[in-house]
Amino acid sequence: SGNTLVISGTPSTAGTTNFTVTCNDSSTTPQNSQKQFAITIVPPPAAMPFTDSFATDKGWQLGSTWSRGAATAYSNTGPTRSEPGTDNTTSTSDNMIIGDTIGGDYSTGIGTATWAISPMVNCASAANVRVRFARWLGVSIGDVVKVQVTNNGTTWVDAYTNPTSSNVNDTAWTTFSYDISATAAGNATVQVRFGLGPNTGTVVNTGWCIDD
């Protein structure tokens, strides 16, 4: 439309699609240029309270190191670290979680954080909003993990960041809760994300396992 590329329609599935736009001019010997784009379709905002045991795929956007899968027991030393063989959910037997490199260590030298981003949740009618989840987390000194929240998909605010001067090595599922009212309350398009990286240390660890 004019000089603006307009993409319209009603998407039927969530996910990221890559595409290329090519432009040709009208000269006798046509000149052309092309550029690659990506568009991510997310589900409509869910009603509060939004819950997820990861038994089914509810539309999380998972970065390259992240997956939804069965909890897989793992342990090692230097530092002593572990991941669970069973999920935190007691009401189902699916054993599903989300995590980065489930059943193993994250890599060293992660220059840019990778994220697991939740579906949008409609918090427009809420005055108080909390995010609550169970974690089994392993982080080495100098490495960074975060929990962040947004109400517009662009500006992300920290709800949790680890102490980078010490290791974090959970040995059991533990439930954490954070007040995100300042960013989420009264907003219709709230998302939470869990991040791993950047990784400036040289000692590996297990990273995130998240449930419920």
Side-chain angles (χ1 to χ4, degrees):
S1 176
N3 291 323
T4 302
L5 174 65
V6 177
I7 299 174
S8 63
T10 302
S12 58
T13 58
T16 299
T17 299
N18 300 301
F19 62 98
T20 302
V21 174
T22 301
C23 180
N24 297 291
D25 70 8
S26 58
S27 62
T28 304
T29 304
Q31 304 295 309
N32 66 76
S33 184
Q34 63 182 25
K35 186 179 176 79
Q36 293 183 330
F37 294 88
I39 186 169
T40 299
I41 305 300
V42 298
M48 288 183 69
F50 172 79
T51 63
D52 199 350
S53 69
F54 305 108
T56 60
D57 183 358
K58 293 191 175 182
W60 287 68
Q61 301 170 55
L62 300 178
S64 58
T65 64
W66 288 83
S67 62
R68 171 182 159 268
T72 304
Y74 172 76
S75 62
N76 213 323
T77 57
T80 300
R81 57 198 187 276
S82 65
E83 288 195 359
T86 57
D87 67 357
N88 183 68
T89 311
T90 58
S91 59
T92 64
S93 58
D94 60 87
N95 204 39
M96 299 295 282
I97 63 172
I98 61 169
D100 61 273
T101 44
I102 294 174
D105 295 322
Y106 57 73
S107 300
T108 59
I110 300 172
T112 303
T114 61
W115 302 94
I117 306 173
S118 77
M120 289 189 293
V121 180
N122 187 345
C123 303
S125 63
N128 297 286
V129 186
R130 301 188 72 85
V131 56
R132 185 177 66 229
F133 59 93
R135 82 175 199 196
W136 193 308
L137 176 64
V139 192
S140 293
I141 293 173
D143 299 341
V144 177
V145 297
K146 288 181 179 288
V147 181
Q148 295 185 325
V149 60
T150 185
N151 56 34
N152 58 18
T154 301
T155 303
W156 292 87
V157 178
D158 288 352
Y160 167 79
T161 186
N162 65 299
T164 56
S165 60
S166 60
N167 292 332
V168 176
N169 286 110
D170 293 343
T171 57
W173 284 109
T174 307
T175 298
F176 288 81
S177 179
Y178 300 103
D179 188 337
I180 57 172
S181 301
T183 302
N187 290 285
T189 54
V190 175
Q191 291 173 284
V192 170
R193 68 180 183 180
F194 298 86
L196 171 68
N199 173 340
T200 60
T202 59
V203 180
V204 297
N205 215 313
T206 55
W208 287 106
C209 291
I210 300 163
D211 202 11
D212 297 334

